[in-house]
C-alpha cells in the first residue's frame, strides 16, 4: 500500500512539472513571436531628401485691410451723454454731429458768467464817470491829488474786472459748445464706446473713426522673419475671397513690439490706389519679400512636435529606422514650412505617415524626392 501511494505521488509531481514546463515554453514562445512581430513591423512612409537651394525670398501671409489713421472722438468735458447719432459701420463727414451731453449745467454756468459781466460793466461805467469828474476837479484844485489817484486806480480795477469776466463768459461758451461732439474727419465708424444715459469723462472714446483715404494691408509675421522684411519693397495683395481683386503696396511700417496675444509683429503695407472692393476689414493675402538668399523647405505634412517644439522624423539611410529631430521654424503657411535650423542637405525626412511612427521604428521608403 505504501509503495503504491509513493508511486502515485511521484506520478502526480511529474505531471505537474510537465504542465509547468509546457506553460513556460508557451509563454516564452509567445513572447518571442510578439518580439519578432514588433521587430518585423515595417511602416511604409513617404520621404524627401533635403537640399539647400536658393529661396524665392517670399512668404505667403493673410491679413486685413485697415485705415492708415484711426481717430478716437471724445468729449472735452465731463457730463451725461443724452444721445449718439452714429453706430459701427456708419459713414461720417467732417463737422457732423456725433453725440451730445446734457447742457443744463453748462447753460447755467454761461448765464451766471453773463450776469457777472453785466455787473462788472456797470462798475466800470461808474468808475469811468467818477474818474472823469475827479480829473476835472483836480485840474481846478477842487480835490486832492490822492483822491484823483484813487479814482484812477478804481477805473483800472473795474476795467480789469470786465476783461476777466469776459474771459469767463468765453470759457462758459466754449464749455457749452463742448457738449456737442462733432467729427473732425470724414471716415467710417469702426468702434463705439458709452451708450446714451451714461456719465462719460473727458477724453473717453465715444466712437472711433477710420479716416477716409489711405489704407494699409496689415499682416502678422513671426519674430524669426521680422527683421528680414524689406522696407519699401513692393508686393501685390489680393482679396482672399476673390483673388482677381488685387492691389500693389509697399512695406510702410514694421512694428518693433510683438502682439501680446499672438506673439507676431505687425507689418503694414501701404496700398496704392486700392480698389473699392478692398473695404476696411476685408481679408487679403500677400507675398511678403524677405531678405534671404537660401533656405530649406519641407511640406507642412512633415511637421510634428517633440517636447512642445516643432520636429520632423529623420530616416537613418543605413538602418532604415527613424528618429525625431527638433527644428527651428522660420516661417510657414498651409503648404510648406521654412526651416531655419535643424536640418542639413542630404537628410531624409518623412513627409507622410508621421503620426504612426515611434523612435527606432523600421520603415520602408515609398518615395525619395528632392526638396
Amino acid at each position: 500500500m505504501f509503495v503504491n501511494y509513493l508511486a502515485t505521488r511521484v506520478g502526480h509531481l511529474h505531471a505537474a512539472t510537465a504542465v509547468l514546463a509546457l506553460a513556460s515554453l508557451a509563454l516564452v514562445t509567445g513572447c518571442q513571436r510578439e518580439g519578432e512581430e514588433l521587430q518585423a513591423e515595417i511602416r511604409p512612409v513617404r520621404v524627401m531628401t533635403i537640399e539647400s537651394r536658393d529661396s524665392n525670398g517670399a512668404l505667403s501671409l493673410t491679413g486685413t485691410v485697415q485705415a492708415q489713421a484711426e481717430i478716437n472722438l471724445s468729449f472735452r468735458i465731463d457730463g451725461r451723454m443724452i444721445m449718439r447719432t452714429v453706430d459701427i459701420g456708419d459713414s461720417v463727414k467732417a463737422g457732423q454731429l456725433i453725440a451730445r451731453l446734457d447742457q443744463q449745467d453748462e447753460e447755467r454756468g454761461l448765464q451766471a458768467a453773463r450776469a457777472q459781466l453785466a455787473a462788472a460793466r456797470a462798475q466800470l461805467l461808474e468808475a469811468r464817470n467818477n474818474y472823469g469828474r475827479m480829473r476835472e476837479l483836480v485840474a481846478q484844485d477842487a480835490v486832492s491829488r490822492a483822491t484823483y489817484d484813487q479814482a484812477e486806480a478804481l477805473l483800472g480795477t473795474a476795467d480789469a474786472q470786465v476783461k476777466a469776466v469776459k474771459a469767463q463768459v468765453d470759457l462758459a461758451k466754449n464749455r457749452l459748445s463742448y457738449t456737442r461732439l462733432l467729427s473732425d474727419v470724414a471716415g467710417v465708424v469702426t468702434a463705439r464706446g458709452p451708450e446714451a444715459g451714461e456719465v462719460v469723462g473727458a477724453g473717453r472714446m465715444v466712437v472711433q473713426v477710420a479716416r477716409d483715404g489711405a489704407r494699409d494691408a496689415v499682416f502678422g509675421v513671426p519674430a524669426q522673419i521680422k527683421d528680414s522684411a524689406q522696407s519699401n519693397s513692393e508686393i501685390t495683395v489680393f482679396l482672399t475671397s476673390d483673388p482677381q481683386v488685387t492691389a500693389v503696396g509697399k512695406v510702410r511700417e514694421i512694428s518693433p513690439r510683438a502682439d501680446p496675444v499672438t506673439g507676431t509683429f505687425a507689418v503694414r503695407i501701404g496700398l496704392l490706389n486700392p480698389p473699392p472692393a478692398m473695404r476696411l476689414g476685408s481679408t487679403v493675402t500677400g507675398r511678403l519679400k524677405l531678405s534671404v538668399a537660401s533656405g530649406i523647405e519641407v511640406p507642412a505634412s512633415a511637421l510634428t512636435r517633440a517636447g512642445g517644439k516643432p520636429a520632423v522624423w529623420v530616416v537613418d539611410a543605413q538602418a532604415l529606422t527613424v528618429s525625431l529631430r527638433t527644428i527651428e521654424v522660420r516661417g510657414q503657411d498651409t503648404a510648406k514650412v521654412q526651416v531655419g535650423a535643424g536640418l542639413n542637405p542630404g537628410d531624409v525626412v518623412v513627409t507622410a505617415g508621421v503620426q504612426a511612427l515611434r523612435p527606432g521604428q523600421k520603415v520602408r521608403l515609398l518615395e525619395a524626392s528632392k526638396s
Side-chain angles (χ1 to χ4, degrees), residues 68 215-217 219 230-238 246-252 268-274 278 287-289:
Q68 284 191 5
R215 298 179 185 178
D216 285 341
F219 302 97
Q230 300 173 352
S231 297
N232 295 321
S233 58
E234 188 173 287
I235 69 170
T236 299
V237 299
F238 56 87
T246 63
V248 176
K250 291 186 177 181
V251 177
R252 189 178 65 84
R268 303 185 74 93
I269 310 297
L271 300 177
L272 307 177
N273 300 318
M278 283 191 177
R287 296 283 290 177
L288 180 64
K289 294 182 179 179

Side-chain angles (χ1 to χ4, degrees), residues 126-329:
E126 181 181 356
R128 186 178 290 121
N129 293 335
N130 186 50
Y131 171 73
R133 290 194 301 270
M134 291 302 105
R135 185 174 55 183
E136 294 177 357
L137 292 174
V138 76
Q140 302 172 3
D141 292 329
V143 294
S144 65
R145 187 71 184 180
T147 303
Y148 168 77
D149 291 341
Q150 184 179 11
E152 185 178 25
L154 289 174
L155 176 61
T157 301
D159 185 61
Q161 181 67 19
V162 169
K163 291 179 179 178
V165 177
K166 277 185 178 180
Q168 293 179 7
V169 171
D170 292 339
L171 180 60
K173 288 181 179 179
N174 288 338
R175 289 185 62 87
L176 181 60
S177 68
Y178 294 158
T179 60
R180 292 165 49 87
L181 177 61
L182 306 179
S183 177
D184 299 324
V185 298
V188 178
V189 178
T190 56
R192 68 184 184 191
E195 299 292 339
E198 294 186 43
V199 175
V200 298
R204 181 181 176 184
M205 186 270 288
V206 176
V207 294
Q208 184 180 76
V209 177
R211 186 198 297 265
D212 281 346
R215 298 179 185 178
D216 285 341
V218 183
F219 302 97
V221 301
Q224 296 89 339
I225 64 172
K226 175 182 75 74
D227 297 329
S228 299
Q230 300 173 352
S231 297
N232 295 321
S233 58
E234 188 173 287
I235 69 170
T236 299
V237 299
F238 56 87
L239 281 179
T240 305
S241 59
D242 186 1
Q244 301 301 320
V245 180
T246 63
V248 176
K250 291 186 177 181
V251 177
R252 189 178 65 84
E253 178 184 301
I254 302 175
S255 174
R257 180 178 299 178
D259 185 278
V261 177
T262 63
T264 58
F265 294 80
V267 175
R268 303 185 74 93
I269 310 297
L271 300 177
L272 307 177
N273 300 318
M278 283 191 177
R279 293 181 288 271
L280 295 176
S282 300
T283 302
V284 292
T285 302
R287 296 283 290 177
L288 180 64
K289 294 182 179 179
L290 306 175
S291 56
V292 293
S294 63
I296 291 175
E297 291 182 350
V298 297
S301 59
L303 194 64
T304 184
R305 308 288 293 182
K309 299 180 179 179
V312 294
W313 288 102
V314 179
V315 178
D316 185 330
Q318 299 296 327
L320 290 181
T321 57
V322 293
S323 60
L324 271 175
R325 184 184 299 177
T326 58
I327 61 173
E328 177 186 328
V329 176

